[in-house]
């Protein structure tokens, strides 16, 4: 099946344009870079643990007795995926795709750290920007943005169906991002030595040093301070800045106030964030919801963007390496180019200064690459499917809790108490979705997936 899909894409790609010439009417149509990117994703999925030598499905066989899942692991599948990623990156570069740069594409000058936080946000929401290789239709991103948009001013309380603020990233997602040093907070020597990690849920006061991301003098959890720019470009939270929305002066921005009774907090039965975090990354910064009008600019939601391809290539190269103590230089190069866009040092230097020697081995780089993908592509519908193909979904989700702040509290001390919102369940059968019963009736050669 994989070969069939790949051959179809190869055949189609020959007749697709390198890039869209008539941008006014045809943007969004398939191109060679889009087709080859989907081919690379297909081969990466086929090489991943879910489908590459997964003995969990040894007894899942077709009517001829052949296993649906290859039972022998093949490192060559990673090599094929790496070659496909390299091909897709080369053709995308030839077509003019490059990592999004807010300063260059918007001609706006901002402080470096604020600029770096806008890079990852606008790589998603800037319509047909240079990084987008393929995105799906824009018709539903207005509703998506309304579901994500918190109230930023008092008059927006009356616009609750436009400023719903319901799309709520979890506390686990907030903890996932790096420190300002570019390493996981649980590994950062400075965070550990200063007790900032062990005391990350305690309250601290934001200083002038934090002013572009957190309101100066505002009390918030230590967890929300001294984090990497992508944290602030992706998430909003109590006390955080909100660049745009009609305020484009970095010294005069909106700031979220998300406790109960405050403008961004709980004010109705359902239209608020149940965790205390907001999906800033999915909202276009030029949207304006005023007292008299609403301007919400739609965008095609990304299916694949160039940063995704760089990280896919790094993963495939690392996994294709036979010697676990040797990491090809190109692995570092492809992950570092994504980190640099967000103002972070390279992997080797960051871990050498602030953590351990993890980047020197294949296993260590596997952890880093997986974390980097989850951070860079957060809220884009990628993390869950990555966890599935890595066979980590069950250990990540089953019997764990969705956690957030106590958003029904009015004062700071009570608000910053963690609460368990719901318990998640994930069993082995959930790795594969059920085949529709009607399809099985129509085609007797189909078999239902295990557990369904």
């Amino acid at each position: 099946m994989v070969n069939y899909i790949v051959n179809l894409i190869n055949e189609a790609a020959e007749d697709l344009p390198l890039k869209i010439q008539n941008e006014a009417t045809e943007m969004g149509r398939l191109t060679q870079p889009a087709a080859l990117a989907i081919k690379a994703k297909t081969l990466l999925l086929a090489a991943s643990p879910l489908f590459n030598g997964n003995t969990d499905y040894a007894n899942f066989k077709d009517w001829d007795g052949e296993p649906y899942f290859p039972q022998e692991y093949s490192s060559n599948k990673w090599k094929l995926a790496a070659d496909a990623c390299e091909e897709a990156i080369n053709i995308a570069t030839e077509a003019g795709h490059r990592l999004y740069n807010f300063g260059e594409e918007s001609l706006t000058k901002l402080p470096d750290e604020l600029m770096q936080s806008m890079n990852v946000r606008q790589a998603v929401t800037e319509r047909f920007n240079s990084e987008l290789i393929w995105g799906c239709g824009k018709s539903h991103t207005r509703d998506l943005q309304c579901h994500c948009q918190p109230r930023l001013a008092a008059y927006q309380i009356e616009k609750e169906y436009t400023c719903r603020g319901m799309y709520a990233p979890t506390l686990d997602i907030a903890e996932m991002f790096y420190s300002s040093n570019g390493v996981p907070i649980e590994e950062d020597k400075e965070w550990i030595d200063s007790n900032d990690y062990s005391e990350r849920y305690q309250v601290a006061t934001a200083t002038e040093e934090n002013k572009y991301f957190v309101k100066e003098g505002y009390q918030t959890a230590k967890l929300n301070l001294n984090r990497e720019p992508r944290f602030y470009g992706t998430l909003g939270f109590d006390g955080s800045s909100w660049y745009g929305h009609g305020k484009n002066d970095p010294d005069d921005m909106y700031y979220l106030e998300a406790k109960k009774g405050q403008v961004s907090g709980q004010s109705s039965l359902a239209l608020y964030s149940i965790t205390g975090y907001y999906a800033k990354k999915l909202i276009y910064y030029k949207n304006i919801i005023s007292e008299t009008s609403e301007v919400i600019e739609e965008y095609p939601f990304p299916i694949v963007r160039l940063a995704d391809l760089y990280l896919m290539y790094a993963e495939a190269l690392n996994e294709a390496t036979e010697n676990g103590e040797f990491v090809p230089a190109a692995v570092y190069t492809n992950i570092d180019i994504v980190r640099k866009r967000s103002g972070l040092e390279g992997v080797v230097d960051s871990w050498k200064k602030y953590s351990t020697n993890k980047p020197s081995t294949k296993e260590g780089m596997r952890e880093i690459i997986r974390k980097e993908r989850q951070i860079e592509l957060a809220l884009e519908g990628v993390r869950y499917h990555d966890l599935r193909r890595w066979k980590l979904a069950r250990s990540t989700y089953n019997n764990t809790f969705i956690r957030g702040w106590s958003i029904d509290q009015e004062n700071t001390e009570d608000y910053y108490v963690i609460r368990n919102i719901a318990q998640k369940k994930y069993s082995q059968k959930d790795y594969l979705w059920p085949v529709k019963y009607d399809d099985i009736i129509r085609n007797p050669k189909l078999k239902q997936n295990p557990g369904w």
Side-chain angles (χ1 to χ4, degrees):
M1 179 60 73
V2 173
N3 290 336
Y4 175 73
I5 294 170
V6 167
N7 289 336
L8 280 180
I9 292 175
N10 284 336
E11 183 180 343
E14 294 180 2
D15 297 320
L16 291 172
L18 179 65
K19 56 184 177 180
I20 299 300
Q21 299 299 325
N22 189 349
E23 296 185 359
T25 61
E26 296 190 359
M27 287 299 285
R29 295 184 64 181
L30 273 169
T31 60
Q32 287 183 28
L36 295 179
I38 299 303
K39 169 185 166 182
K41 277 185 171 286
T42 300
L43 288 169
L44 190 80
L45 180 60
S48 297
L50 182 62
F51 293 110
N52 191 0
N54 185 358
T55 57
D56 292 342
Y57 296 109
N59 295 322
F60 184 34
K61 300 177 181 180
D62 63 22
W63 292 108
D64 295 324
E66 292 297 319
Y68 281 110
F69 288 59
Q71 293 302 292
E72 297 294 327
Y73 171 81
S74 171
S75 62
N76 187 59
K77 291 183 178 181
W78 287 110
K79 294 174 183 176
L80 293 174
D83 290 344
C85 290
E86 183 179 27
E87 180 186 21
I89 290 170
N90 289 340
I91 200 73
T93 303
E94 182 183 345
H97 291 284
R98 57 191 174 85
L99 291 183
Y100 180 87
N101 184 297
F102 181 74
E104 292 179 5
E105 299 205 20
S106 69
L107 301 179
T108 301
K109 291 294 182 182
L110 295 175
D112 287 346
E113 58 267 48
L114 188 55
M115 188 86 73
Q116 291 154 359
S117 75
M118 290 298 293
N119 282 340
V120 73
R121 181 179 174 189
Q122 289 309 107
V124 172
T125 63
E126 189 67 52
R127 193 168 184 265
F128 295 121
N129 67 79
S130 62
E131 185 169 338
L132 182 67
I133 293 175
W134 196 33
C136 61
K138 65 175 185 174
S139 58
H140 297 294
T141 54
R142 185 190 189 282
D143 283 348
L144 173 65
Q145 291 181 83
C146 290
H147 274 82
C148 296
Q149 179 67 59
R151 295 175 295 275
L152 299 173
Y155 62 80
Q156 292 177 350
I157 293 176
E158 305 301 323
K159 297 180 177 290
E160 60 178 14
Y161 291 105
T162 307
C163 303
R164 300 168 196 163
M166 298 168 61
Y167 194 166
T170 66
L171 186 64
D172 288 343
I173 296 300
E175 294 194 279
M176 177 183 72
F177 285 82
Y178 294 141
S179 70
S180 57
N181 294 323
V183 299
I185 56 176
E186 67 272 16
E187 294 181 19
D188 191 313
K189 294 175 182 177
E190 292 185 355
W191 275 58
I192 294 170
D193 292 344
S194 65
N195 293 324
D196 280 349
Y197 181 70
S198 61
E199 299 174 355
R200 63 192 182 281
Y201 304 137
Q202 296 184 17
V203 172
T205 302
T207 64
E208 183 180 10
E209 182 181 357
N210 309 118
K211 70 177 183 178
Y212 294 122
F213 295 138
V214 184
K215 186 176 183 179
E216 186 177 356
Y218 202 90
Q219 288 190 307
T220 188
K222 287 185 178 181
L223 180 68
N224 296 332
L225 300 174
N226 302 315
R227 306 298 295 276
E228 60 158 314
R230 288 179 295 189
F231 175 82
Y232 300 105
T234 302
L235 302 178
F237 52 87
D238 181 45
S240 71
S241 66
W242 198 281
Y243 179 78
H245 205 79
K247 286 195 169 189
N248 298 326
D249 180 350
D251 295 313
D252 180 26
M253 293 184 285
Y254 283 110
Y255 291 91
L256 287 177
E257 295 182 353
K259 301 179 190 70
K260 184 178 181 180
Q262 293 183 319
V263 66
S264 309
Q266 180 180 354
S267 64
S268 67
L269 290 176
L271 304 181
Y272 57 88
S273 168
I274 62 172
T275 64
Y277 285 99
Y278 298 83
K280 182 195 295 185
K281 183 183 187 180
L282 304 182
I283 303 172
Y284 186 52
Y285 83 105
K286 286 186 178 181
N287 291 350
I288 298 178
I289 301 168
S290 70
E291 295 181 76
T292 57
S293 64
E294 300 170 3
V295 178
I296 300 175
E297 298 191 28
E298 296 177 307
Y299 58 88
F301 199 86
I303 296 173
V304 59
R305 53 188 178 92
L306 189 57
D308 188 2
L309 274 180
Y310 283 130
L311 297 175
M312 287 166 56
Y313 188 29
E315 179 183 356
L317 281 174
N318 187 63
E319 296 296 338
T321 304
E322 299 289 351
N323 185 347
E325 299 303 316
F326 170 76
V327 177
V331 173
Y332 302 122
T333 300
N334 281 274
I335 195 171
D336 287 350
I337 191 174
V338 176
R339 289 170 60 88
K340 183 179 180 181
R341 190 257 297 273
S342 294
L344 302 178
E345 290 186 277
V347 165
V348 173
D349 288 341
S350 293
W351 261 259
K352 182 178 180 180
K353 291 179 182 178
Y354 302 109
S355 185
T356 63
N357 199 31
K358 185 188 290 186
S360 64
T361 67
K362 175 180 178 178
E363 289 71 22
M365 279 306 298
R366 177 184 296 141
E367 284 187 41
I368 291 172
I369 292 166
R370 288 177 175 180
K371 174 80 79 171
E372 194 74 34
R373 284 188 59 80
Q374 293 179 72
I375 291 172
E376 175 67 26
L377 303 171
L379 310 189
E380 296 179 45
V382 174
R383 179 173 182 262
Y384 169 69
H385 295 291
D386 273 349
L387 289 171
R388 281 182 64 239
R389 68 181 178 87
W390 295 329
K391 287 183 61 180
L392 296 177
R394 190 175 184 183
S395 60
T396 301
Y397 293 124
N398 195 40
N399 290 326
T400 60
F401 286 93
I402 296 172
R403 301 181 303 149
W405 302 119
S406 297
I407 52 90
D408 56 347
Q409 299 299 313
E410 298 179 357
N411 63 68
T412 301
E413 291 74 18
D414 294 335
Y415 180 90
Y416 286 106
V417 173
I418 296 173
R419 66 185 185 121
N420 294 329
I421 299 167
Q423 188 173 16
K424 294 176 281 187
K425 297 293 184 182
Y426 197 96
S427 63
Q428 181 64 34
K429 74 174 186 178
D430 294 313
Y431 277 106
L432 300 176
W433 291 344
V435 180
K436 287 183 178 180
Y437 182 69
D438 286 351
D439 291 337
I440 295 176
I441 293 297
R442 291 190 186 99
N443 185 355
K445 289 190 175 183
L446 290 177
K447 277 195 173 183
Q448 184 57 271
N449 283 326
W452 296 97

